[in-house]
Amino acid sequence: MESTPLMVGWAMRDITPDRPVSLHGQFHRRVSGGVHDPVTTTALSLSSGDDQFVWVSCDILQIPRKLLTRCREKLQLLLPDFPPEKLVINATHTHTAPYPADPWDAVAPQAVMKSDEYCEFVSERVADAATESWKARKPGAIGWGSGYAVLSHNRRSVYSCDLSQRSPEAVKLPGTKTEKTARMYGDTSDAEFLNIEGSEDHRVHILYTFDGQNALTGAIINQPCPSQATETLEVVSADFWHEARLELKRRHGEHLYFLPQCSPAGDLAPHLQYNRKAEMRMLALKGRTLRQDLACRLADAFDEILPWVKHDIRREAVLKHSTRTLSLARRMISEDEYQSALADLTTLDAPPPLPAEGGSIPYHDREDCRLARKERVRRVLTRYEEQKTEPILPMELHVIRLGDVVFATNAFELFLDYGIRITAQSPAVQTFLVQLAGEGTYLATHKAIEGEGYSACLYCCEVGAEGGAHLVEESVKSINALWESNF
């Protein structure tokens, strides 16, 4: 493959709703009480030779299929000659933004913007940003590098006991979780605590873009941390990415564009599982919130990498974009699990137990929480029927070679170990893996599924570990195909 001159264009749009919305990402209904900071969408267009792509990042939970479809439809109207499959969209996974396919629509107050309306709102702005970035392309350059920033930690605790035998009332919440030996955000001071379940990744990958005079114009920032530092707020917010953008623009200029990508982090979060007191003390000494500290760590990595990258700016590069649909094995629902789900639905349809005198209704028995739990139980029942004729689930995979680096997407909250396996087998000098580029559930490892817990039980995973292994194999195969002529 020959290197050819690069054309680079950027654009950004505000996707903050102008009235109250349902915020997605918890088990209870939250209606926004205002805007803490804007949620945005950023688009980067790159072309070289006879190939091209437009990459868009959105400050929302994930990318539902209907949103991707509407974005491509609207982009095709604005850019009839641009192949719609060349539009790639990922989410940052903020839990404080509206969702374009929200289950709370049926019970949302009249004044709240419904998800279909928000889908139209977002898709219009994504298409506008993508179009502007495409039309703004000019001869440019790229440079890439990697460094370190401690942003996330593995959030699954493992115990020496079977939790379901020790405290059954706490480990089986229909529609929420079942637990055996693992728990998300589990108490590490528990005497039965053994270890943190999985790996951590503190690597930050950055692709910088430059204009014709080698002045910085923007950057893709790829790191393994979902936007969940303040995930329970009841206001619209981009989470720590808002502070990160502010800090990077303060250091490098208001005119720059920053496109966030979340690499595999299904079992990671920006919350310590131990040493919390030490971290809180250090934040107090610095006079920073966790969000501000994460932003500074990210900006420090950005600044550490940039001077070195400037020694290797490329005005030409191989660009090749491949896309295909994978068929991934479902996480099968057993007959026993199906019968248990039927019983659970009956339980959830009945009125909840009355609280003791003077007490309050437990969180998971609130009306809105029970509604969310019932929907998830119904989804298990539906999956049981679907798996009889459709034992696989489709997933759109994008793999992009850009010089010596490669980008590969998945639709899931992908556990880190899968990402490590793909990166370890990749022939690229630098591998950017991007999760949440579609609509997917958690995709847990075999080890996690054995321990269960939230993120690894039947309610949370529509694709099983067999499907995860297949995702690794096919991602590596697609990456290798873009290097076959050189290696």
Side-chain angles (χ1 to χ4, degrees):
M1 297 182 186
E2 292 185 4
S3 296
T4 50
L6 288 160
M7 300 285 287
V8 182
W10 285 97
M12 187 272 286
R13 290 290 186 279
D14 193 319
I15 56 172
T16 310
D18 60 359
R19 62 182 194 272
V21 290
S22 293
L23 302 171
H24 198 67
Q26 302 291 336
F27 277 89
H28 62 284
R29 186 175 70 236
R30 293 175 298 153
V31 174
S32 62
V35 176
H36 183 279
D37 52 82
V39 287
T40 62
T41 183
T42 303
L44 168 63
S45 288
L46 268 170
S47 60
S48 181
D50 60 359
D51 214 339
Q52 65 279 309
F53 66 86
V54 178
W55 199 300
V56 175
S57 181
C58 294
D59 291 329
I60 58 176
L61 191 79
Q62 59 182 189
I63 309 298
R65 168 54 60 177
K66 74 172 186 177
L67 174 61
L68 179 61
T69 299
R70 291 298 289 137
C71 290
R72 287 175 171 167
E73 289 172 348
K74 292 183 177 184
L75 182 60
Q76 199 156 26
L77 293 175
L78 296 170
L79 294 176
D81 296 330
F82 183 84
E85 70 275 9
K86 298 289 187 179
L87 175 66
V88 189
I89 309 178
N90 74 271
T92 62
H93 206 62
T94 177
H95 281 216
T96 47
Y99 189 55
D102 202 292
W104 297 116
D105 279 351
V107 294
Q110 186 66 32
V112 170
M113 179 185 283
K114 301 299 189 289
S115 62
D116 282 346
E117 186 178 354
Y118 188 66
C119 183
E120 289 300 302
F121 177 86
V122 173
S123 58
E124 179 180 326
R125 281 153 182 77
V126 167
D128 284 347
T131 300
E132 181 182 322
S133 71
W134 183 255
K135 292 181 176 180
R137 283 174 306 141
K138 295 179 180 178
I142 58 172
W144 53 84
S146 66
Y148 294 95
V150 178
L151 303 171
S152 61
H153 310 274
N154 193 284
R155 55 181 168 172
R156 288 178 53 85
S157 300
V158 178
Y159 300 86
S160 59
C161 63
D162 185 336
L163 297 170
S164 66
Q165 300 302 311
R166 188 175 76 170
S167 52
E169 74 285 350
V171 298
K172 190 175 189 307
L173 286 168
T176 305
K177 64 179 180 178
T178 57
E179 291 181 347
K180 289 183 180 175
T181 58
R183 177 174 291 172
M184 180 188 283
Y185 300 133
D187 180 8
T188 56
S189 67
D190 190 307
E192 301 281 1
F193 169 71
L194 282 179
N195 57 272
I196 299 298
E197 182 184 83
S199 307
E200 293 185 356
D201 182 10
H202 303 305
R203 178 75 71 169
V204 177
H205 297 284
I206 303 180
L207 181 93
Y208 302 88
T209 65
F210 304 90
D211 65 14
Q213 289 71 48
N214 288 350
L216 184 66
T217 57
I220 290 175
I221 304 174
N222 178 285
Q223 49 74 47
C225 186
S227 300
Q228 292 179 247
T230 50
E231 59 188 307
T232 61
L233 296 180
E234 297 192 355
V235 287
V236 172
S237 172
D239 208 272
F240 72 84
W241 270 111
H242 174 68
E243 281 79 3
R245 292 184 183 107
L246 290 179
E247 183 63 20
L248 286 165
K249 290 190 175 195
R250 184 187 69 79
R251 298 186 187 191
H252 295 280
E254 289 291 328
H255 61 289
L256 298 180
Y257 296 90
F258 300 101
L259 191 154
Q261 295 174 339
C262 186
S263 58
D267 47 347
L268 308 180
H271 303 293
L272 279 172
Q273 301 310 295
Y274 55 94
N275 276 334
R276 292 176 186 165
K277 292 179 181 178
E279 174 160 281
M280 295 306 295
R281 175 178 176 270
M282 290 307 301
L283 290 176
L285 290 172
K286 295 176 185 178
R288 294 176 183 167
T289 65
L290 175 60
R291 288 168 53 143
Q292 291 168 336
D293 208 51
L294 293 171
C296 288
R297 295 176 206 175
L298 201 52
D300 288 346
F302 188 98
D303 290 351
E304 193 274 332
I305 300 166
L306 180 58
W308 302 108
V309 167
K310 287 183 175 180
H311 293 295
D312 187 23
I313 293 176
R314 311 281 182 94
R315 309 202 70 78
E316 295 185 355
V318 171
L319 172 57
K320 189 63 179 176
H321 176 194
S322 71
T323 181
R324 61 192 179 104
T325 299
L326 303 186
S327 297
L328 304 177
R330 287 179 181 266
R331 192 282 196 197
M332 306 298 278
I333 306 299
S334 69
E335 177 65 25
D336 286 347
E337 288 171 335
Y338 174 74
Q339 294 298 332
S340 179
L342 283 174
D344 289 340
L345 187 59
T346 299
T347 299
L348 288 169
D349 279 335
L354 293 174
E357 185 175 350
S360 59
I361 298 174
Y363 170 80
H364 285 291
D365 277 332
R366 285 173 35 175
E367 181 182 3
D368 53 346
C369 294
R370 288 175 75 88
L371 174 63
R373 292 167 61 194
K374 280 193 284 187
E375 288 304 310
R376 284 165 66 87
V377 171
R378 290 190 184 106
R379 180 58 191 150
V380 169
L381 300 176
T382 300
R383 285 165 53 194
Y384 179 80
E385 298 300 328
E386 290 174 343
Q387 70 190 25
K388 296 175 183 177
T389 55
E390 301 174 20
I392 57 93
L393 283 174
M395 189 208 79
E396 184 175 283
L397 168 69
H398 293 268
V399 176
I400 299 171
R401 177 178 179 180
L402 186 59
D404 294 333
V405 305
V406 71
F407 294 82
T409 68
N410 69 83
F412 304 100
E413 289 186 72
L414 188 69
F415 274 42
L416 174 59
D417 283 359
Y418 292 117
I420 291 173
R421 288 162 61 184
I422 296 171
T423 300
Q425 297 178 58
S426 170
V429 172
Q430 201 166 327
T431 301
F432 291 66
L433 301 180
V434 187
Q435 69 170 19
L436 300 162
E439 183 176 23
T441 59
Y442 287 97
L443 207 171
T445 60
H446 179 71
K447 175 173 60 177
I449 291 169
E450 284 188 328
E452 296 194 26
Y454 186 80
S455 76
C457 65
L458 77 163
Y459 301 113
C460 305
C461 303
E462 291 203 39
V463 171
E466 179 186 344
H470 189 60
L471 169 61
V472 170
E473 178 184 349
E474 293 302 312
S475 296
V476 172
K477 185 184 297 183
S478 289
I479 293 170
N480 282 335
L482 299 184
W483 261 262
E484 284 177 353
S485 61
N486 295 86
F487 287 80

